[in-house]
Every structure is written in structure tokens, then in C-alpha cells.
Amino acid sequence: MEHLYEKLENYSTNDYYPYHMPGHKRRMAGALPKQIIDIDITEIDGFDNLHHPEGMIRKLQQKAAALYGAEESFYLINGSTCGILSAISAALPEGGHILMARNCHKSAYHGVYLRNLTVSYLYPSVMEEYDISDAITPAQVEEALNKEPDIDAVLLVSPTYEGRIADVEQIARIVHKRGIPLIVDEAHGAHLGWSEEFGANSCQAGADLVIHSVHKTLPAMTQTALLHVNGDRIDRDRLRRFLHIYQSSSPSYVLMASIDNALHVMEKDGHRLFCFFAERYYQMMHKLSECRHLEVLAPKKGKQDIGKLVISAKKYGLSGQRLYDILLEDYHLQTEMATESICLAMFTVGDGEDAYERMTKALLEIDEKMAAGLIQPDFSARKHPYSVLDARDSIPLSRAWDMPGELVPLKEAVNRYVGEFIHLYPPGIPLLAPGERMTEEKYRQIQDYLEQRLKVQGVKQINDTKMIKVLRK
Ligand SMILES: Cc1ncc(COP(=O)(O)O)c(C=O)c1O
């Protein structure tokens, strides 16, 4: 099969002169590596067109579909974000009613806003040991659909940011009994289905629309993603229309080549790479089981994803942010994110032996220091499982985000409806969405997060005051 990256590389050495975009003309790289611009072209002859694929891009997409067990797949160069927007827009009518997990990424909320949807939330339960949201269960979906018979589509995130995996097969059966589609944001699960170790992906489990960030868990460049579609519950032309709307009209060939490359590497060498990955990961988990104060969430096929190392020092009284800081400052280990209770490190096939050795050594050493009382606890009790918030007292997001607002000091926002998203980034799961009420409890949660220096977005620092946008009375 012809691969895009090879074709681009070959093309870069020929004598065709580019009287076309991009403006660097494959010559002016500035301070960037020349190899990048060498393969950065536009839709010229022989290279097909992502928005109207008839040649090699069509074949590459067919190949991706075959690899993931989908009927049809689309290359995405605007990340899973544009896949989620397109999936929501295609699966529901304008003004429709979506049943959606509350721990969805902000892009799902943006889809709700853009398409003027009514939302009913599925609230994940909290895993007390780590204060993280668990996967949505089939029983929750069944119960919600019984209560709300006018739902047009269901949207779940699986694996979650912390790696919790839902029983998508069972949920798909429940959803399909109502004749409506299931969308799975599997942004964190592009590796699922590739190895015995990981269990099936959501295409294989029967979801109608599945979104993968190739860049998150496979060796591909940032912004690369895939959207897969199965069955006849989704109008494919409508889906294509929304992809045209949400994707750039100048799709990057570098990014498309990166998707092709990642899938090719996986197809050719995936078995060996995934075996190495799983073996090293389990060895690391085994060594970390010696820890007396630190706890790590064990991977379990179909339940907890292998690549997400969720570390808690809760028993010792150390916050996730402090643990994150220690790993960064003392060991130069840059982890993915911290919440009040956990620090999250990501592992993929891209990691070598050193990644496991360094993390294992650092965590064992930190645990030793804790045992010797050399690390000061910074906290006694966790208060706020970060993603679970009751949003029933609210103005619909699709209206609220456009309503006139005003900036007020955080404390004065209590009892008011907020006018902006407030979330920790990462993971970008809203603590509050526009139109939701700032209760006293939510105020304290945000205040605590700010004091812990967690990365709260949606709160503005003006002079010495933390301000927040609320809707005008
Ligand atoms: C669960 C989830 N879905 C979707 C996205 C958006 O993915 P992308 O960055 O590929 O647009 C993210 C990003 O972090 C995410 O965590």
C-alpha cells in the first residue's frame, strides 16, 4: 500500500516548482527543521483531497476503518475536538435532546451549545480511594433512558481521562433498543483493540460513532485524530457536511501523514510494541505494590486502561499537586496532570525502558521519604471529587453562553448563574458550564483548587482579585 509520508518525502526531492500554497514554498523554514516544510504541501495533483477523497486519502481512510473494525473512518486534523463536534451535530437534530456523561470533555459541551441542544447528564459515581469519576454503567444509561424517552442520542467518554473504561457493548445494546445512536468519545483509547492486553475498542463493541485522538496514545503528532462510523443510524452525508464545517479547508498533509505513519507502525510492529509496553507496565506496577504510602490504580482489562498511571498519596495527606511538583522538580518527570487527590502519568508504546525505570525509582524513593517523615503532608482530607457536580439548577447552556454577563469577585458569584466555563485544564471537564449556578459548595471547591494552585480556567485575576463572569440579573 502507498503511504502518504513516503509519497510526500519522494515528492520533496523532485523538480516540480510550487506556484501554490503554502507560502514557505518548501524553502523558507526559518528556525524550523527543513524536513517539516519539505513535506508540507496543499491539495496538489496526485495527493487527493481530505474533503473530497477519491484517491490515496480515501484508501488510507478505508485502511483505518479496517484496522479499527469500522464501516467508515475519517482522518481528522483538528483533533478529536472536531470529531466530537461533527458526531454530535450529525447524530442529533438541531435543538435535540442529548444524554451525556457529565465528565465529557469541553468539546462535547461546545457541541451542545452550537446545536442548541437540551442536555440530560449521566453522573458518574466517584471512586473514593482516588476521588476520580468511574465509568458510566449500563444500568445508569438504562435508567436515564427510561426516565427521558425523548433522548435523541447518548454520548459517553471511555476511557475517561483517568482510564476508566465503560461496558460499551452492553450500553450500545441498551441504547440501540431505543433506536437511537451511541457516540463514544474514545479520545484516550486509540490503542484499544490493537492487543489482547487492552480489550475491544468501541467500534468493535457496537457504538455508532467513535472518536480517537491518535495523538494521545499512539505515536502521532498533536491534533491527529480519527472518527469512525458504523450502522445506519447516522446519516453519512450529514456527518460529512459537519466534517467540512468543523475541519480546516486546508488540511495539513504533515498531520495526515502522521496518522498514516502511526497506523502503519502499529500494523507492522504493534504486537511487539504492545507486548513490550504491557510487560514493562506490569513490572512497574508490581514494584510499586511495595509502596506503603503511595497508591496506584491497577490496570484491568475492560475496566482500567493500562496507559494511565493514577497515583494517590491521599492516605499520607499529600495532595496530587504536591506530588506532581515533587516529580517535576526533584526528578524532572513531567506528568500529565494533577487534581486535588491524584497525579496522573501517561504511558504509551512510545515509552522506552527508561520511562518505567525513572518513574518506579522516583515513586519508591518518594514513598521511602514519606515513611521516614521527610515529606510534609499538605492536607488532611479531600473535599471535592473534581468532576461530579449536580447541574440541575441551571439555564440551558445553548442560551446562557450568549446572555449578557458581568465580572464579579468570586465570592460574590455565589448563588448567581455563571457565564463562562470553569474547569481544570487538563482535563477540560467543566466544573461549571455557562448557565449553572455557583453554589456555596462549588465556590469553596473552586477556591480550594485555586489555593492548591491547580490549573483552574475560567477565573480571571484582575489586580489582586479573582473574578468570574456571571449572568446579569
Ligand atoms: C476525553 C477527551 N475527549 C476529547 C478531547 C479533545 O481531544 P483533541 O485534543 O484531540 O482535540 C480530549 C482532550 O484532552 C479529551 O480528554
Side-chain angles (χ1 to χ4, degrees):
M1 172 165 183
E2 191 175 28
H3 288 287
L4 184 53
Y5 50 89
E6 281 160 5
K7 188 161 171 166
L8 289 167
E9 215 169 65
N10 292 339
Y11 188 76
S12 72
T13 58
N14 68 25
D15 68 342
Y16 289 92
Y17 191 84
Y19 293 100
H20 57 74
M21 296 179 276
H24 55 60
K25 299 288 181 132
R26 288 188 274 121
R27 293 176 171 209
M28 289 188 83
L32 292 179
K34 173 82 168 43
Q35 292 94 316
I36 294 182
I37 68 158
D38 276 348
I39 59 163
D40 184 30
I41 58 159
T42 186
E43 290 89 351
I44 51 175
D45 286 291
F47 284 90
D48 208 1
N49 183 330
L50 180 63
H51 288 285
H52 191 68
E54 291 177 321
M56 78 175 306
I57 294 178
R58 186 166 171 204
K59 284 198 190 121
L60 292 175
Q61 294 189 141
Q62 284 167 344
K63 179 78 196 175
L67 290 169
Y68 280 95
E71 284 170 17
E72 202 171 352
S73 297
F74 300 90
Y75 271 34
L76 307 177
I77 42 74
N78 292 8
S80 281
T81 295
C82 81
I84 291 167
L85 293 176
S86 304
I88 291 175
S89 304
L92 290 107
E94 217 259 326
H97 189 173
I98 190 166
L99 178 65
M100 156 175 146
R102 177 68 199 188
N103 58 337
C104 276
H105 181 253
K106 60 180 179 172
S107 53
Y109 291 78
H110 296 166
V112 166
Y113 165 74
L114 288 171
R115 301 294 297 157
N116 194 21
L117 303 179
T118 298
V119 195
S120 294
Y121 291 113
L122 290 160
Y123 290 91
S125 64
V126 176
M127 297 176 71
E128 297 287 340
E129 316 90 283
Y130 296 90
D131 294 333
I132 61 172
S133 296
D134 207 343
I136 295 294
T137 64
Q140 281 180 290
V141 175
E142 177 111 63
E143 194 190 328
L145 290 174
N146 284 341
K147 266 198 216 140
E148 315 242 26
D150 67 336
I151 297 285
D152 295 298
V154 178
L155 169 60
L156 298 178
V157 52
S158 174
T160 63
Y161 209 93
E162 301 85 2
R164 304 305 294 165
I165 299 173
D167 182 348
V168 174
E169 198 171 327
Q170 183 68 3
I171 292 173
R173 256 186 246 127
I174 293 166
V175 173
H176 291 160
K177 260 197 282 165
R178 319 275 159 152
I180 57 172
L182 173 66
I183 309 168
V184 181
D185 170 358
E186 205 164 66
H188 289 270
H191 58 298
L192 295 181
W194 282 96
S195 159
E196 284 289 289
E197 300 289 340
F198 308 149
N201 67 49
S202 292
C203 300
Q204 297 157 338
D208 302 78
L209 286 159
V210 179
I211 302 102
H212 284 137
S213 282
V214 186
H215 70 95
K216 289 194 199 304
T217 60
L218 294 182
M221 289 172 75
T222 300
Q223 284 188 216
T224 56
L226 289 165
L227 169 67
H228 312 280
V229 56
N230 275 314
D232 55 9
R233 291 177 197 87
I234 301 299
D235 178 334
R236 308 278 174 101
D237 286 339
R238 232 170 105 78
L239 182 62
R240 279 195 191 84
R241 185 208 303 164
F242 285 109
L243 283 168
H244 291 323
I245 295 173
Y246 296 127
Q247 295 233 76
S248 167
S249 64
S250 309
S252 160
Y253 277 83
V254 180
L255 296 184
M256 288 190 275
S258 179
I259 301 175
D260 175 24
N261 184 45
L263 298 187
H264 186 49
V265 169
M266 289 304 108
E267 193 186 16
K268 214 175 53 182
D269 208 15
H271 181 69
R272 184 187 66 79
L273 289 167
F274 285 123
C275 285
F276 175 88
F277 172 27
E279 200 182 302
R280 295 303 182 280
Y281 196 86
Y282 283 114
Q283 275 171 7
M284 176 175 72
M285 294 305 287
H286 181 68
K287 288 187 189 146
L288 293 179
S289 66
E290 289 168 23
C291 289
R292 281 167 287 173
H293 298 285
L294 290 175
E295 284 176 297
V296 286
L297 186 51
K300 192 164 177 205
K301 188 167 163 179
K303 287 255 182 249
Q304 173 63 34
D305 185 26
I306 190 169
K308 298 282 159 65
L309 184 67
V310 178
I311 320 156
S312 162
K314 182 172 165 164
K315 277 204 287 195
Y316 187 79
L318 198 73
S319 65
Q321 183 65 48
R322 182 81 186 97
L323 189 56
Y324 174 102
D325 291 342
I326 295 173
L327 287 167
L328 184 62
E329 286 157 20
D330 297 354
Y331 298 93
H332 294 186
L333 302 180
Q334 174 66 68
T335 51
E336 169 70 17
M337 70 145 176
T339 68
E340 195 175 33
S341 308
I342 60 146
C343 175
L344 176 79
M346 280 181 65
F347 287 81
T348 73
V349 283
D351 289 304
E353 199 83 63
D354 57 330
Y356 300 96
E357 279 168 9
R358 286 183 65 180
M359 182 59 79
T360 308
K361 185 164 175 291
L363 291 177
L364 289 176
E365 223 172 272
I366 292 170
D367 193 69
E368 277 297 307
K369 285 186 190 159
M370 286 173 163
L374 298 174
I375 294 179
Q376 272 309 100
D378 62 343
F379 219 115
S380 54
R382 296 308 174 296
K383 296 162 218 135
H384 315 288
Y386 78 91
S387 62
V388 180
L389 285 164
D390 192 330
R392 270 163 271 207
D393 177 14
S394 59
I395 298 169
L397 166 62
S398 42
R399 267 205 293 132
W401 216 3
D402 287 328
M403 286 166 77
E406 57 185 336
L407 279 177
V408 298
L410 192 54
K411 177 73 188 141
E412 288 172 28
V414 173
N415 275 329
R416 305 275 303 266
Y417 293 110
V418 300
E420 197 40 89
F421 281 98
I422 303 176
H423 45 67
L424 292 184
Y425 205 91
I429 298 167
L431 299 167
L432 280 169
E436 292 176 4
R437 196 187 284 283
M438 174 77 82
T439 59
E440 183 68 38
E441 189 202 343
K442 287 172 195 172
Y443 160 72
R444 270 187 274 111
Q445 176 174 19
I446 293 164
Q447 189 62 31
D448 282 350
Y449 285 1
L450 289 166
E451 276 164 21
Q452 288 169 50
R453 296 177 299 104
L454 296 177
K455 293 175 182 133
V456 181
Q457 290 188 353
V459 178
K460 290 191 171 61
Q461 176 84 31
I462 298 183
N463 300 322
D464 285 341
T465 313
K466 300 265 186 303
M467 307 283 280
I468 188 167
K469 188 174 167 197
V470 291
L471 301 183
R472 288 225 188 101
K473 282 183 180 161

